[in-house]
Amino acid sequence: MESSGMLRWTLHKKIEQNPSTSCVLVRILVKELERAERGDLRHYIIPLLHTLMYTLIQAPCIPDELCARVYDFCKRLLTLPKPFCTIGLDYASRLQVERTAPGTLYQRMVISEQSLWSAPFPYQEKIFIFADPELLPEAICNALVTDTEAAQVSQSPQGCMSFVVTHALQAALGDTCDIHGLRARLQALAPGDVEHWFQQVVAAVEGAASEGGSDRGQHMAQLERIYHGLLGSLPAGNAPQEGLQGTPLPNPNISFHLWTEDEQLWKELVLFLRPLSQSCEPDCLGQELDPTDMQDILAGCGCCEQSRFSVLSTDSGIERDLPAQDEPSAADTEPSRLHRKGGIKKKLSPLDSVSLLQAGSAVPAGKPPGKQPRRSGTAPQPLAPLQRRHTARVMLLGDDRILGRLAQAFHSLRKREARRVFLTRRLNLQFYHIPVLPGHSSAAADAAGPEGLCEVAGYLGRADPWYESNINTLCHMIPKLASMPSSPSRALVTDLFLTDVIAYYARMGTQPVCFQVHSVKVLFRDPAQDPAEDVFLTELLTQVQDSPSHRDLNTTKRKSSLDGPGIDLTVTYRKVVLSDRHKELALALRSTGLLMKAIPAEEAEGLGCLSVTITEIIRINNLAGRSFSAVANRFKAQTIKIGSPEQRPFTVRLDKDSRRTYRDVIGLEVSPCLEPSYCLQKTKTTKFNLHKTEDMGLVKYLPKSLLLPINTFAGVIQ
């Protein structure tokens, strides 16, 4: 299926170039789906269904009887196990809305991706592409920046609004719609007039879609009135019969970021939620924040039972900032205990204060969310309907090392949200991964090899064949496109393929695969040095450290000649058993290194355990003398503790990243990383129940483990 991704892209490009064939292609795809269902060929169902739905969104007009066949097929998927029933339910609900109000799926996609304001559908989406400049060559980063910017140069809000109006009217009126006259009319209008007609179309389509069982004929009549009002003096029924004309699907709003700071992901998400009405100078957005300033933003109260918003005080605490008073009051003449000292008022950047978080919140500052008090005898006010959240699609380009940084950033973000909820209430955060191998060689790349640096992408490809066909093929293609000389042909290829594949992945990849994040506690040789706590996603590697001093070096050589290479280690681990019972085992051995892998090599293995490989040194005595052999000792563990009885140091490297290497280590503890909100709530519960260790109250319903979700097209197909 390596060429399936290219065939899918070619099919959708043909629909854009020749929209009149969309109905024929949809009928063919529906027949192939029904044939796969009859033959129980389930591995074809999800790729065909994704291709069909993307075709339906792009198609100018689809007959209702054809949509009904697709809708019935999606309902039949509800009897199958996951992920078929999950995807079937999602697409069945979308098709139900599309049948009621044709053009709704296209309209909502363009409005959210282009951040077009509309009261009936006020939701936004944005794609954030993150790449580590230290892991990818500069040529690849520059090429990706150029291509993502070039894909959006020709797009304007007025043009996208015209696309929405044109597509909605043609989806409702079909062949009777004069597309050329409609486009000419919209191009001649002023931007304000285009927005007026855009708002009218959006209100009509969203009104019909929200009612659900409303009369489709009434909706068609309303759009027909808008159509005639927009064309003005042109008489009705004189539209040239030119067949269906396609409306381009604009590229989504994509921003490319070179990941140079640890807090950069969180800052970009906060800026995305920044309300549009808040005025700010452009140069203020580029001001950098220190880590201490970031802590001040979310330094919420951890001892309160409920999260609350801090009240922003406008009092600087400096005496000269007090407003002038005309007449001194009696209280001013009395000596007070507290006197204000002269000071310097610090000018804060827009991101440095709590006002940023309060402005982005739907709750008034100083008032916690919850029930509003009411007077006795008055009827209770109806609850407001649940509001959808904005969507941030974070796409990571690179190998397993950038996913290790993502695990760190995600753990830090979850800790912030546990102390004080801000992003979670307003943002639907989704992660994507496109594997890209570095063009230059490095120590980690040479040791792991090309396949070893993309273990996560390999697992996702084995779990989801459609991800393997569409995304894993970019692993070697992106460096080739970046190495092409700058020319019109290169711009044509990258603009037509790379950007389209990224958009297709972000739009249709909605099924997550959850990876367990593991925490590690590192103990150092120096007693004065505090233990370090970190997390990793893919692997942990330990190796014997060379002794820097001559005394240690001589001792090491003498010890190695007697006991062999390596160091003595004590290993205590909890073995993985089928009954899920706790079985503690202990080992004492001599080893030169240890490797823990969290990504299974086989699809059938689970993601919740560690595959540990210890290189054990075994001494062999024979007539020729003493010799040593290295034996690989393998086992699976949930938690593991390693120590050096002789205080001999070793190094620890996380996620194949040489920048995340700890030296002078004499012990470490590895366990599944717990969800910070679970830890915080459990700490509050145990304050009042000191003698009970099991989970009680709300803690029982909170997720215990910290899982990093990475979206694919199908999730894990059983």
Side-chain angles (χ1 to χ4, degrees), residues 19-20 60 170 174-180 240-246:
S20 60
Q170 185 174 214
D175 294 337
T176 62
C177 181
D178 182 6
I179 291 298
H180 290 289
Q241 299 296 324
E242 299 179 355
L244 297 176
Q245 301 294 319

Side-chain angles (χ1 to χ4, degrees), residues 42 61 95 105 127 141 180 269 311 477 497 528 587 630 648:
R42 296 186 180 181
C61 183
L95 286 168
L105 299 182
I127 299 176
C141 296
H180 290 289
L269 295 178
V311 181
M477 187 176 298
F497 183 74
L587 297 174
R648 292 275 305 279

Side-chain angles (χ1 to χ4, degrees), residues 472-506:
N472 275 349
T473 53
L474 299 177
C475 184
H476 302 281
M477 187 176 298
I478 291 180
K480 291 180 181 178
L481 293 176
S483 62
M484 292 175 61
S486 180
S487 62
S489 61
R490 176 191 178 278
L492 181 64
V493 171
T494 54
D495 184 41
L496 290 180
F497 183 74
L498 183 58
T499 307
D500 286 348
V501 172
I502 292 176
Y504 177 76
Y505 180 29

